[in-house]
Amino acid sequence: MIRFVGRRVVELAIVFVGVTFIIYVMVFTLPGDPIAALGGDRPLPEAVQAQLRAQYHLDEPVWLQYLRYVGGLFTGDLGTGFDGRPVGDRMAARWPVTITLALTAWAIEVVVGVVLGLISGLRSGGLVDRTVLVGTVLATSIPVFVLGVTAQLVFGLQLGWFPIAGTSEGWPTAYLLPAIVIALFGLASVTRLMRGSVVDTLRSDFVRTLTAKGMPRRNIVGVHVMRNSVAPVLTFLAIDLGYLLGGTVVIEAIFNLPGIGALLFDAIKTHEGPTVVGVATALILIFLATSVVVDLINSVLDPRIRHE
């Protein structure tokens, strides 16, 4: 187990360095001068611009800037924005919104996806199964920004069931509609995974044996089929939680939610390089940490994974 964990940590460290370096280079080598843009219509004096470039090390080679940035990460420093505020402090004020949105969407995926997948699998080939499968195809075929705008128009403006923007009404009212929109893609995947796993389990020998021995079907399904079918779904859900925490940029922008995604979106629009890199780094760390946890759980459930 120690060797397996060590190997995974090394692999993910290489991935982290590679991805963050690419993002850093792309952000800080884009055309345009973010320091000159700080003055808006009234350009800053050249002396002030030079001082700011030296303060943020923008006058150094990109590779040296990256090494300074990585060195700061070991002390928990995600960088400092051009407004002088630490990126970590700006993110701390935004995390509650993003976490609430992500957990609400994740709960919808868990409950609705598992239930639909179970019903569809138990009625494989029937009308309900076909309807569910068509619904999952539709859910994954429509871009998330189209779903978001359409949901605002129909359920927010026309029907008035939900607020169309902001968090003033609190949870769950302000979060439910964007959570449903962002959960649809993952929900479709959970439903398909659960359905396929249930169908395979129902065809297994031990289910036939339990049926032949006269065990009630509700016991077979509720205990044995569910326990054996949910393992691959749990793996996906664990990974998807990391995705939800980092994949809310578009939805937060559409629904005007002041979360991490909105912070990243605003930083991109204003060419706020340190904030873009800092937020992206935090999201990458969350996703990689989730991957490690999933790998550890799978290695415990199936020891063969450690030797692959």
Side-chain angles (χ1 to χ4, degrees):
M1 175 63 78
I2 295 177
R3 183 180 301 176
F4 171 76
V5 173
R7 185 172 70 247
R8 290 298 294 148
V9 169
V10 171
E11 292 172 354
L12 293 178
I14 294 173
V15 172
F16 173 78
V17 171
V19 174
T20 53
F21 180 74
I22 291 173
I23 292 175
Y24 196 96
V25 171
M26 291 178 63
V27 169
F28 286 101
T29 57
L30 287 175
D33 188 348
I35 297 298
L38 292 177
D41 296 333
R42 301 179 62 182
L44 297 175
E46 288 296 332
V48 175
Q49 293 187 33
Q51 180 182 356
L52 289 174
R53 291 191 185 94
Q55 178 181 341
Y56 291 101
H57 307 288
L58 298 180
D59 54 350
E60 299 176 351
V62 175
W63 63 268
L64 183 56
Q65 295 179 42
Y66 177 74
L67 290 180
R68 289 183 181 278
Y69 176 71
V70 172
L73 292 179
F74 287 101
T75 61
D77 182 13
L78 290 171
T80 302
F82 292 143
D83 59 356
R85 295 175 57 192
V87 176
D89 291 348
R90 298 180 65 184
M91 293 178 64
R94 305 274 190 140
W95 272 123
V97 173
T98 296
I99 292 174
T100 302
L101 176 62
L103 289 179
T104 304
W106 193 71
I108 294 172
E109 290 185 14
V110 173
V111 176
V112 180
V114 170
V115 171
L116 286 179
L118 178 61
I119 295 174
S120 182
L122 293 175
R123 302 184 180 184
S124 177
L127 178 61
V128 173
D129 181 35
R130 296 179 186 277
T131 302
V132 170
L133 289 178
V134 170
T136 58
V137 171
L138 290 175
T140 56
S141 301
I142 305 176
V144 66
F145 66 89
V146 175
L147 286 173
V149 174
T150 303
Q152 280 183 320
L153 177 63
V154 176
F155 299 106
L157 292 177
Q158 295 182 355
L159 298 177
W161 291 355
F162 303 97
I164 61 172
T167 59
S168 59
E169 298 193 24
W171 188 90
T173 306
Y175 291 89
L176 195 54
L177 186 58
I180 292 173
V181 173
I182 198 175
L184 280 178
F185 186 85
L187 188 152
S189 300
V190 171
T191 301
R192 289 180 180 178
L193 276 174
M194 188 66 187
R195 176 198 176 275
S197 190
V198 168
V199 170
D200 291 340
T201 304
L202 288 174
R203 294 172 180 172
S204 60
D205 292 337
F206 81 90
V207 172
R208 296 193 187 98
T209 301
L210 294 174
T211 303
K213 288 183 176 181
M215 179 177 287
R217 183 171 175 79
R218 64 176 179 274
N219 291 347
I220 295 175
V221 174
V223 179
H224 301 281
V225 173
M226 280 292 294
R227 183 174 60 189
N228 287 275
S229 301
V230 79
V233 179
L234 291 177
T235 300
F236 173 83
L237 285 171
I239 296 175
D240 194 53
L241 179 58
Y243 164 76
L244 288 173
L245 288 170
T248 60
V249 177
V250 176
I251 291 300
E252 288 183 3
I254 293 175
F255 288 89
N256 194 27
L257 301 176
I260 295 296
L263 176 62
L264 179 60
F265 184 74
D266 292 340
I268 293 173
K269 289 193 301 182
T270 57
H271 300 283
E272 181 77 24
T275 303
V276 173
V277 173
V279 173
T281 300
L283 298 180
I284 291 169
L285 286 172
I286 290 173
F287 190 81
L288 293 180
T290 305
S291 299
V292 171
V293 172
V294 171
D295 289 340
L296 291 176
I297 294 174
N298 286 335
S299 67
V300 172
L301 297 176
D302 186 358
R304 294 174 297 178
I305 296 177
R306 306 174 199 170
H307 306 290
E308 292 180 354

